[in-house]
Amino acid sequence: MARQASRTTGGSTPARTRAEKVADALREEILRGKLAPGEALREIHLAKRLRVSRIPLREGLRILEGEGLATHRAHHGAVVRPLSQAEALDLLEVLAMAESAAFRHAAAALGKEELDAAEELLGRLRKERDSLAWMQLRDELVASLLAP
């Protein structure tokens, strides 16, 4: 499928298409657990709820399929794709190795203030149950540890 030239909104930020906005909204719901693994992504219901026609909805679902967050079943439509146990373990292993190496290199440059702030973020991270909020806190922690 040919991709259209990127549009801009007057600045350097490309304008988001309806399909991209649909994908963003559904991605957030999947990551927050509001749409569960295996849950059907019913086009009519989602189009109505997101206030878009079925064409950008289908395009948004294809974006999520490309990201591995949804899958299409013939004669059934799209569903939220669960990670297999092997996929989840592989992702966690790669993430752990990459972060471990980055933190080792950054640790030498951290002062007491930075370490205290990181410890506070880590405490909040351990208590967080919302997966999207957890990922945002984790990103904040990583950024605080790796900031120059």
Side-chain angles (χ1 to χ4, degrees):
M1 173 185 233
R3 187 156 174 106
Q4 294 179 350
S6 179
R7 300 174 306 179
T8 60
T9 57
S12 61
T13 306
R16 308 286 293 164
T17 66
R18 283 191 180 106
E20 290 168 331
K21 290 176 184 177
V22 165
D24 292 345
L26 294 176
R27 182 184 307 106
E28 183 170 332
E29 290 183 25
I30 290 169
L31 294 175
R32 283 191 182 275
K34 291 179 181 177
L35 293 171
E39 185 172 339
L41 299 170
R42 303 277 181 230
E43 287 184 16
I44 293 172
H45 169 74
L46 291 172
K48 188 175 191 177
R49 185 165 59 82
L50 297 173
R51 298 180 181 174
V52 296
S53 71
R54 289 175 69 182
I55 292 172
L57 179 74
R58 287 178 184 154
E59 292 172 359
L61 290 173
R62 278 196 286 274
I63 291 170
L64 296 178
E65 288 173 27
E67 294 174 358
L69 292 174
T71 188
H72 185 80
R73 294 184 188 164
H75 309 293
H76 295 285
V79 296
V80 177
R81 182 182 171 273
L83 284 179
S84 70
Q85 184 177 12
E87 288 172 319
L89 290 174
D90 286 346
L91 287 172
L92 288 173
E93 185 177 337
V94 170
L95 181 62
M97 289 187 304
E99 288 183 348
S100 178
F103 294 150
R104 273 196 306 275
H105 292 293
L110 295 177
K112 180 175 176 10
E113 222 173 89
E114 291 90 0
L115 288 172
D116 289 345
E119 190 172 330
E120 187 270 330
L121 279 171
L122 186 59
R124 290 174 46 205
L125 187 66
R126 287 182 176 145
K127 295 175 187 174
E128 186 58 61
R129 296 296 170 239
D130 179 276
S131 59
L132 190 58
W134 185 91
M135 288 190 314
Q136 290 170 338
L137 277 172
R138 185 193 144 284
D139 289 347
E140 190 177 334
L141 174 63
V142 169
S144 75
L145 293 173
L146 301 179

